[in-house]
Amino acid sequence: AQSVTQLDSHVSVSEGTPVLLRCNYSSSYSPSLFWYVQHPNKGLQLLLKYTSAATLVKGINGFEAEFKKSETSFHLTKPSAHMSDAAEYFCVVSAKFNFGNEKLTFGTGTRLTIIP
Amino acid sequence: NAGVTQTPKFRILKIGQSMTLQCTQDMNHNYMYWYRQDPGMGLKLIYYSVGAGITDKGEVPNGYNVSRSTTEDFPLRLELAAPSQTSVYFCASSWRATNEKLFFGSGTQLSVL
């Protein structure tokens, strides 16, 4: 079985300050991990993906995430928030089960608000 | 670059009505998916397809049907709409596997009253 927990449903930061969005996961197999972003009235867009290579993953728009197996975490960070970062962010875990089938499990999302 | 196109964007149905949500992609992707997104919840997989003529159930398939007669199109059919099907529906596609990058459509907001 696998699951993903986004620890904050809503995060507010001031423009120009760091962003931290927290994600913990559980998986019986070696997982792939993703962060997707959803801007209002839009579909989800991939920010970054971890697939057992480097533990620090760099994504688009200055975001990065660090895979920490010992803590089963995959937190998303950005050094300096921009107004355009305001959106909903989803942590996603993908793991193989039975005969190589993959299953995606989505977190419940974190809404990021940027204060001018 | 059209990507994944969904229609309609909004729809209101009465209980018991039927409708088809359209999804088409122009990237020649093999895998296509239908998800629903309820407030405060993650996306839940309704149905998926790994190629033309092949479909399978996801986590929440009850009340829905799909078909995949071509690589490009993956319509979702709602029969006998119920208030529990009020949700935002997203179609997505990927090249070869579930753990690759998903490309999403912009969604269909459906209300069943």
Side-chain angles (χ1 to χ4, degrees):
Chain A
Q2 64 189 42
S3 66
V4 59
T5 302
Q6 292 185 243
L7 298 168
D8 306 292
S9 59
H10 190 199
V11 170
S12 293
V13 302
S14 296
E15 189 176 17
T17 65
V19 174
L20 170 64
L21 305 183
R22 299 182 295 164
C23 173
N24 287 349
Y25 72 93
S26 69
S27 176
S28 302
Y29 299 85
S30 296
S32 296
L33 293 158
F34 309 77
W35 277 98
Y36 280 84
V37 60
Q38 184 182 27
H39 288 96
N41 301 314
K42 301 285 188 183
L44 281 71
Q45 178 186 16
L46 182 67
L47 272 181
L48 51 81
K49 171 183 174 182
Y50 165 77
T51 54
S52 75
T55 57
L56 184 62
V57 183
K58 293 188 182 298
I60 62 173
N61 300 334
F63 284 94
E64 61 182 36
E66 186 172 8
F67 174 71
K68 292 186 176 180
K69 186 175 181 178
S70 61
E71 299 176 9
T72 60
S73 69
F74 190 57
H75 301 334
L76 181 71
T77 61
K78 182 174 180 177
S80 176
H82 190 273
M83 294 301 294
S84 62
D85 295 328
E88 187 95 15
Y89 292 79
F90 292 92
C91 183
V92 183
V93 60
S94 173
K96 291 188 185 294
F97 70 100
N98 292 346
F99 310 111
N101 292 315
E102 290 271 352
K103 178 183 177 183
L104 289 183
T105 300
F106 285 77
T108 53
T110 298
R111 181 166 299 277
L112 178 63
T113 299
I114 310 299
I115 303 166
Chain B
N1 290 336
V4 179
T5 303
Q6 287 183 241
T7 56
K9 292 190 181 302
F10 304 95
R11 184 72 185 269
I12 298 174
L13 286 180
K14 294 182 179 179
I15 295 172
Q17 287 186 319
S18 300
M19 76 164 293
T20 299
L21 281 65
Q22 302 291 346
C23 175
T24 186
Q25 52 92 8
D26 62 358
M27 297 172 284
N28 202 32
H29 284 172
N30 292 313
Y31 283 59
M32 295 188 74
Y33 316 83
W34 275 105
Y35 287 93
R36 60 177 288 171
Q37 183 182 31
D38 298 314
M41 305 289 286
L43 274 68
K44 300 294 185 184
L45 182 64
I46 304 171
Y47 270 95
Y48 69 100
S49 169
V50 301
I54 306 169
T55 63
D56 207 350
K57 296 178 180 179
E59 301 171 85
V60 290
N62 291 342
Y64 307 94
N65 277 300
V66 294
S67 60
R68 184 97 181 269
S69 57
T70 67
T71 299
E72 296 78 18
D73 300 310
F74 190 42
L76 177 71
R77 178 82 178 164
L78 279 71
E79 305 282 1
L80 298 174
S84 61
Q85 294 179 304
T86 295
S87 188
V88 180
Y89 291 84
F90 287 101
C91 179
S93 70
S94 62
W95 171 227
R96 289 176 302 181
T98 305
N99 67 344
E100 292 190 352
K101 177 181 179 179
L102 296 182
F103 292 78
F104 282 84
S106 57
T108 296
Q109 189 166 339
L110 175 68
S111 295
V112 182
L113 305 175

